Amino acid sequence: MRVVIQRVSEASVTVDGQKTADIQKGLLVLVGIEDADTQEDIDWLAGKIIKMRIFGDENDVMNYSVQDVDGDIIVVSQFTLHASTKKGNRPSYIKASKPEFAIPMYENFVKAVEKEFQKKVQTGIFGADMKVSLLNDGPVTITIDSKNKE
C-alpha cells in the first residue's frame, strides 16, 4: 500500500461538479492499493499517518500531528501510485488492485484512519473522475510504502 501525504492549508474533492470533501488545515492522503496489501498494512499506515509530526509548533518546528493541531483529513483513492514506468513512456498499472479487491481495502483503510484519528475522515469517490484541489502548506509532501518501511 502506498500513500502520499500532503500537509494542506485547504483541500477539496469535486466529482461531477459536486464537492464530496472540503477541509482547511489538515492532510490530503492519496492511497494506492495492490493485491499484496493486508489489514496489517492498513493498520500500520493509519497509525503512522495520524501520529506523524509534520505540523509546526510555536517555533515553527514540526512537532505536532494532525490531531495536535485539530486538523482534518481527506483520503482519496489513487491507483496511479502503483504506476510502473520501467518500460516505454506509457505507465503500466498492472500492480494496482482491481476494484473487487481495492474497494473493500480502501473502505477498511478509511475506517482504520477514522479509528486512529477518533474523528470523521472525508473522502473522494472510489473510481470516479475526481478533481482534487489543494494548497500544499510548506510544501510538505511525504510518501510511504507499507512494503518498504523506511
Side-chain angles (χ1 to χ4, degrees):
M1 189 169 279
R2 291 183 182 158
V3 295
V4 174
I5 304 162
Q6 296 181 80
R7 184 179 78 181
V8 298
S9 296
E10 60 186 63
S12 64
V13 179
T14 303
V15 178
D16 295 329
Q18 299 292 315
K19 277 194 179 171
T20 64
D22 191 13
I23 66 170
Q24 294 302 304
K25 179 184 236 175
L27 300 175
L28 173 65
V29 179
L30 307 174
V31 58
I33 298 162
E34 64 179 316
D35 290 347
D37 292 332
T38 66
Q39 189 64 44
E40 183 179 320
D41 295 301
I42 289 171
D43 295 339
W44 182 80
L45 277 170
K48 198 71 152 161
I49 291 165
I50 300 308
K51 294 175 183 123
M52 189 166 295
R53 299 184 321 173
I54 58 174
F55 289 88
D57 63 15
E58 55 282 346
N59 298 314
D60 209 24
V61 176
M62 287 194 236
N63 276 325
Y64 293 144
S65 71
V66 67
Q67 280 183 316
D68 296 332
V69 299
D70 195 29
D72 289 301
I73 298 175
I74 297 177
V75 175
V76 175
S77 62
Q78 188 163 359
F79 73 93
T80 60
L81 291 179
H82 285 289
S84 173
T85 57
K86 186 176 181 179
K87 291 173 33 182
N89 295 316
R90 185 170 154 204
S92 167
Y93 303 105
I94 195 82
K95 283 190 77 175
S97 291
K98 302 286 184 261
E100 51 274 2
F101 180 80
I103 291 172
M105 291 295 284
Y106 171 74
E107 290 170 350
N108 287 344
F109 178 74
V110 170
K111 287 177 190 168
V113 172
E114 287 178 334
K115 183 178 177 186
E116 282 285 332
F117 195 33
Q118 299 177 345
K119 191 173 176 181
K120 183 80 173 137
V121 170
Q122 296 185 48
T123 65
I125 297 176
F126 189 97
D129 179 18
M130 295 176 270
K131 306 303 179 206
V132 179
S133 176
L134 70 132
L135 182 56
N136 193 318
D137 180 18
V140 175
T141 302
I142 297 171
T143 60
I144 304 175
D145 189 327
S146 64
K147 303 297 188 227
N148 186 20
K149 296 176 179 142
E150 295 182 329

